[in-house]
Amino acid sequence: MAMERPVGPILNGLPSQVPDIDPDETQEWLDSLDGAIEAGGRRRARYLMLRMLERARDSQVGIPSLTTTDYINTIPPEREPWFPGDEDMERRYRAWIRWNAAVMVHRAQHPDISVGGHISSYASISTLWEVGYNHFWRGRDHEGGGDQIFFQGHASPGIYARAFLEGRLSEADLDAFRQEKSKGLQPDITALPSYPHPRGMPEFWQFPTVSMGLGPMNAIYQASFNKYLHNRGIKDTSQQHVWAFLGDGEMDEPESRGLLHVAANDELDNLTFVVNCNLQRLDGPVRGNGKIVQELESFFRGAGWNVIKVLWGRGWDPLIAQDTSGALVNLFNTTPDGDYQTFRANDGSWIRDHFFGRDPRTKEMVKDWSDEDIWWSLKRGGHDYRKVYAAYLAAMNHTGQPTVILAKTIKGYSLGKHFAGRNATHQMKKMTMDDLKGFRDSLKIPISDEELEKDLYKPPFYNPGPEDEAIQYMKERRRQLGGYLPRRDPKKAPLIKLPDEKIYDVAKRGSGKQNVATTMALVRIFKEWMRDKEFGKHLVPIIPDEARTFGMDAFFPTAKIYNVHGQNYTSVDADLMLAYKESTDGQIWHVGINEAGSVAAFTAAGSSYDTHEVAMVPFYIFYSMFGFQRTGDGIWAAADQMTRGFLIGATAGRTTLAGEGLQHADGHSPLLAATNPACVAYDPAYAYELAHILPDALRRMYGEDAENIFYYITVYNEPMHQPAEPQDVDVEGILKGMHLVHRGESDGDGPRVRLLASGVGVPWAYEAEQLLREDWGVRADVWSVTSWNELRREAMACDEEAFLHPENERRIPYVTRRLSEGSGPVVATSDFMRQVQDQIANWVPEDYYALGADGFGFADTRAAARRFFHIDGPSMAVKALEMLADRGEIDPQIPIQAAQKYRLLDVNAGTSGNAGGAS
């Protein structure tokens, strides 16, 4: 009777439905395997099987890949390199850093302050960081340019504590942790933000990493950008490495795993992820019933990464060596993470009974070990200097793949029994007196009981001073590696020569008899930028996968699309003028259907003035609906990192792309942009407005006294007449947010109104002006509002100044001042929801009403959609008449007549806008 096959992962992908054509031969193979197990043990049998798999692959026999390995260290003891440092010396100041990090958070929990903080995260990652600091991470002064480190944000107290010993921060600075205004405004105090935050410490932190998932994504694109700069010949980045320190719980974020293929496809061997596998999230185990290390190994290996596991410290080596039966490895493999967490929250006796005691063979291994030996000697690999050093060196020497190091640690390690491995440890901010004393004793900190007992909430920091031999050693290690980290120094980037003003003449001339969309007008200016020999090379065009929609396919043959592998195929359109062309030195960063990655690329390029001391100008163009709405968190991280550059929301508006329907109908991106203090947002109507907005943006971001801002510009795909720039063009108004484009006839004392519109809505205001004038004798001024956001921002600044300094002469907001020049009620419209226009309502000196495209988008013609939302020209005209009637300036019947005349409730009566959609 044939044995029933067990169901298991190894069967996946095998031709299990194929009949066994030679059962006797099959049995011989199985008997041979059984014999190998009996004679040489499981380890020997496993070795033979792996060699067989290797030979099968060499012979091109289709077999499934093994994506996980045993739950032991990837690098065996015999392959570990010599450790080059003084381990005792490094352990000494590592203990001081541990103490100061915990004390800093504890002191911030004084009852008069209670601002929080995280003690346990750094406790688990300390060794992983210190090996890097002492032996691998190159600072900014290194001849190769320095490494970029994405620190695990919740462990920031350890970075501050190290900087304190280095002399970069004072004791007063540490006591200003999480008190950025109450103490940070005092002279000679650097207040410390909770987490890595370049805006909070602009000469210290480089990368904001606490928004979970953005660190891994941004690290991938930072490494990719480093290769991009190198391959384009802009900077030699061959000695620069990107390190990202991540939590195993953080790896649940889609962004943490979703872009691993990018790193593998681009062969980013300049990138190393170090996942701090302390097996815990904030509230409990990451995979209590499973094994997060094994899961991540399988995932990364399947994505094409080199995987190194650092699970067990050196104390386990002799036990693993004597495990000829495989019993110990079997325990490693079958013990779930929930149990591993519990083991380290108890004592050596518990581990003896509940781990080793599961198998008589493993229990025999430690029969002569004391409970203390089991507890202190059998550490996890992420706390062992030599194991971590071996993994880091292997990662640095590996080529052709990115590397992930899965390092097993204990959350709250060394903090005592109330912290180590406990579910609540992430939320624990302070220690009892017994905790403090035990922690001090375990670290051998020379502080007396008397000093500790003076004030529970103010245990002293410890710093032996700059002359101490351990401090000298620590500083010398950093000196040899290129200086302190982290460190930000944006002033080192030389200024780039900005384009000549003549470049913009093409946009100022208008379109004549031709209709041109603002997307095409913008791309036309961008084309001139690309042609500029000095400025053009600094441009980084970033496109997700819609270049042809935006009219940018013209750049393919000349600028070429960046691909680390070049182009090893013949493009299907190779014989066409606008053929798709990839190159290793291509300038266009074409990231595919990947908005999140595009924002990460934008961030890497836009902060290059600091990270590489070379200013680059990212120009990321995308469907406006898929910008702030889809990747808002990434854009916030870009602002935190003080990124500079252009975000171009193309195909903007709720009705201009109406044929696409709801998911493409952007009616709110300016509002989302308004929430970001670093974002300067414009919604221009005309090419000549762009011709002033763009050079001013370059001046503000890349000129003298550059500002840490970025621009969001909405442009449209609806072709329309582009007027030539007026001789008396109001440049100040264009930049501040509004300028008069048509003044209604001033003869007579008839009723007057003001019509405000932005973007593609300005022609609707002109339409309304004509209807009001010709049908009802009402005169209207038309204003092009280039930025509702900037008008509001300036008005709010005026109000705040008046509020805080009532003794000063009150400054009148720009929007108030300009609208005070005319008279009559004000009607506003745009292709966005009403709240966009309502941003200025508080500062309009007359009756004000905003029309808006509120609600969900849908697929229809532009004219019908605009009539449905009542944002078109006739709707503006009727609303203006209603407001005049309410003021008693016209007969109340007139708006009723107008609504009937223009068939206001009939979507088929809409006429505002034109058909077609080519950019």
Side-chain angles (χ1 to χ4, degrees), residues 146-205:
D147 295 337
Q148 286 121 15
I149 319 295
F150 288 73
F151 291 100
Q152 190 176 354
H154 288 88
S156 62
I159 304 296
Y160 295 140
R162 179 176 241 274
F164 170 57
L165 293 183
E166 292 169 336
R168 302 174 68 196
L169 295 175
S170 68
E171 188 170 314
D173 297 335
L174 298 192
D175 263 340
F177 177 61
R178 290 195 171 195
Q179 299 156 75
E180 295 182 71
K181 302 302 180 187
S182 58
K183 290 185 177 179
L185 299 180
Q186 299 177 27
D188 303 323
I189 289 183
T190 301
L192 308 182
S194 311
Y195 308 120
H197 204 310
R199 285 191 179 270
M201 295 181 73
E203 295 181 355
F204 193 86
W205 294 113

Side-chain angles (χ1 to χ4, degrees), residues 767-779 874 877-878 881 894 897-899 901-902:
E767 183 184 2
E769 184 276 331
Q770 182 180 2
L771 296 175
L772 289 167
R773 172 170 43 83
E774 295 180 354
D775 294 345
W776 314 104
V778 174
R779 302 294 185 263
V878 172
L881 293 171
I894 289 179
Q897 295 169 12
K901 178 181 178 66
Y902 305 138

Side-chain angles (χ1 to χ4, degrees), residues 278-292:
N278 57 37
L279 313 185
Q280 286 184 248
R281 294 195 189 101
L282 277 61
D283 293 329
V286 181
R287 296 288 184 272
N289 295 318
K291 302 173 84 65
I292 186 60

Side-chain angles (χ1 to χ4, degrees), residues 33-59:
L33 177 61
D34 291 342
I37 295 172
E38 288 181 16
R42 293 181 180 180
R43 175 171 291 185
R44 173 61 181 166
R46 181 177 182 276
Y47 174 80
L48 293 173
M49 288 299 298
L50 289 173
R51 289 302 305 271
M52 292 290 288
L53 288 170
E54 184 178 54
R55 178 59 60 87
R57 289 198 185 98
D58 290 342
S59 302

